[in-house]
Amino acid sequence: NMNTPAFSVVRTVRTAVEADMLITFMRSEGLNPLDINTSAHFSLAGAEIEFPIQVPTTELNAARELLKGYDDSARTA
């Protein structure tokens, strides 16, 4: 049994596309977000779908800071 760090949700998004973009971006910045299992997410008659983006808890603060900058650049683009 390997010692894996606990994971924390840094962001929750509504589409698999957005989740993929964020995960790719975070990886390019040296973080280690978990892959999301998009097949496990399906809609029940208008229910909200959410994709939690998780990173190792040790990277949580770095991920939050990174996403702050990401949001700012997305807004001003």
Side-chain angles (χ1 to χ4, degrees):
N1 187 4
M2 286 176 23
N3 247 350
T4 53
F7 286 84
S8 298
V9 175
V10 66
R11 166 77 49 97
T12 303
V13 296
R14 297 200 184 277
T15 67
V17 171
E18 191 179 357
D20 282 341
M21 282 171 45
L22 276 179
I23 287 170
T24 299
F25 171 68
M26 290 165 72
R27 286 205 174 120
S28 75
E29 297 294 322
L31 296 178
N32 299 285
L34 289 180
D35 282 314
I36 52 166
N37 179 5
T38 52
S39 63
H41 298 265
F42 53 90
S43 179
L44 297 173
E48 293 290 335
I49 307 176
E50 295 190 326
F51 297 92
I53 310 289
Q54 297 182 75
V55 294
T57 301
T58 54
E59 295 179 4
L60 187 57
N61 288 337
R64 283 185 177 140
E65 287 302 310
L66 186 64
L67 291 180
K68 243 187 258 179
Y70 178 85
D71 291 339
D72 290 344
S73 64
R75 269 199 292 276
T76 56

